[in-house]
Amino acid sequence: MHPCRPSPRRAALWAAGLIATLTLCAPAVANLDAARAAITAGNLPIASVQLRAALRDHDTEPEANELMARIYLDGHQPRLALVALAKAEEGGRERGDLLPLYAKAWRLSGDYSTLEGETASLPDDLPPETRDAVMIQRALGQLASGDPKQAATVLSQLLQGPQPASAKAALAQVIAATGDLERAEELLTECLELDPTNTDAWMLRGQIAESRGDATAAEQAYSGALPDAGGRAW
């Protein structure tokens, strides 16, 4: 027998193991495909069901955990998002790729010290769009912790070039905090033209309408933030 060629018995065992692995993975792949389709359709409850089914087969599947974390963040459940992100990282996702989601989870959970510490020095090889997304969350954290001037400084550095929807939404929050609601609403309109599913923009628009006593406009805006209001941009 050739020294590099496995015996017939070993080859048969290897083939059986491969078939078993593929059989076990198939349901998870199907659930993941169904979850992607549900997310595209804006049906996050169905996507959550499919993702949980996929994670029952493989609890560290990186894409399923990342998508689950995004859904948790959409629903303002940062603690659950942090668990899912840790699982995605355990499954092989690079921490740098997940850093914008981690930053948002820290911000939503009120853990501003971790947000500041973890984003103070970013890796040099971080893609520009990822870096910008992290810095937007940093600025929003500074705003929430009572430092709007520093938040405005961080955002002004990001807004030198084309403004992504997320940056417009973040800047609108900073400007609204200064009392310039008219300019904030202009930015929210621009943001939602670029990304009609931006939850933060819809929520802020609702809060501004509510502060003006316009219950109808507030209800319409809050409806836009619901998970089934449209396919997600992510």
Side-chain angles (χ1 to χ4, degrees):
M1 178 180 294
H2 193 282
C4 295
R5 183 178 299 162
S7 68
R9 173 177 169 75
R10 179 168 297 188
L13 289 172
W14 179 87
L18 178 61
I19 291 170
T21 300
L22 291 174
T23 301
L24 288 172
C25 289
V29 171
N31 289 134
L32 196 48
D33 287 342
R36 293 192 199 101
I39 288 169
T40 300
N43 195 333
L44 298 192
I46 293 298
S48 297
V49 170
Q50 295 293 345
L51 289 171
R52 289 191 184 96
L55 291 169
R56 279 197 295 271
D57 296 325
H58 180 18
D59 70 345
T60 60
E61 206 293 320
E63 185 181 356
N65 275 297
E66 181 180 345
L67 290 174
M68 200 73 243
R70 290 180 183 275
I71 290 174
Y72 285 139
L73 290 173
D74 253 23
H76 287 250
Q77 296 177 289
R79 301 295 182 186
L80 292 175
L82 286 170
V83 173
L85 289 170
K87 284 289 187 181
E89 200 172 347
E90 184 182 344
R93 271 287 194 271
E94 292 292 333
R95 186 174 181 84
D97 295 336
L98 299 173
L99 201 50
L101 300 178
Y102 269 116
K104 186 172 184 178
W106 292 323
R107 174 176 68 83
L108 291 178
S109 63
D111 191 354
Y112 304 125
S113 59
T114 298
L115 175 58
E116 283 288 314
E118 292 287 340
T119 61
S121 179
L122 299 176
D124 293 335
D125 60 349
L126 211 60
E129 61 275 12
T130 303
R131 180 181 297 272
D132 288 353
V134 172
M135 296 311 293
I136 286 169
Q137 296 302 322
R138 180 182 174 91
L140 291 174
Q142 291 164 338
L143 175 63
S145 61
D147 194 354
K149 289 186 177 179
Q150 183 59 32
T153 298
V154 171
L155 286 172
S156 66
Q157 296 170 355
L158 298 177
L159 300 177
Q160 300 301 316
Q163 300 176 4
S166 54
K168 288 179 182 288
L171 185 58
Q173 291 192 46
V174 173
I175 291 175
T178 69
D180 189 353
L181 300 184
E182 186 175 342
R183 176 57 183 148
E185 286 189 298
E186 290 175 0
L187 284 166
L188 291 175
T189 298
E190 294 172 10
C191 167
L192 291 168
E193 287 174 353
L194 293 172
D195 176 14
T197 69
N198 190 293
T199 304
D200 292 334
W202 283 115
M203 290 297 294
L204 181 57
R205 175 174 273 186
Q207 290 162 5
I208 291 174
E210 199 170 357
S211 72
R212 289 175 169 162
D214 190 341
T216 300
E219 184 178 348
Q220 290 174 345
Y222 291 140
S223 296
L226 294 175
D228 59 353
R232 315 319 279 175
W234 41 264

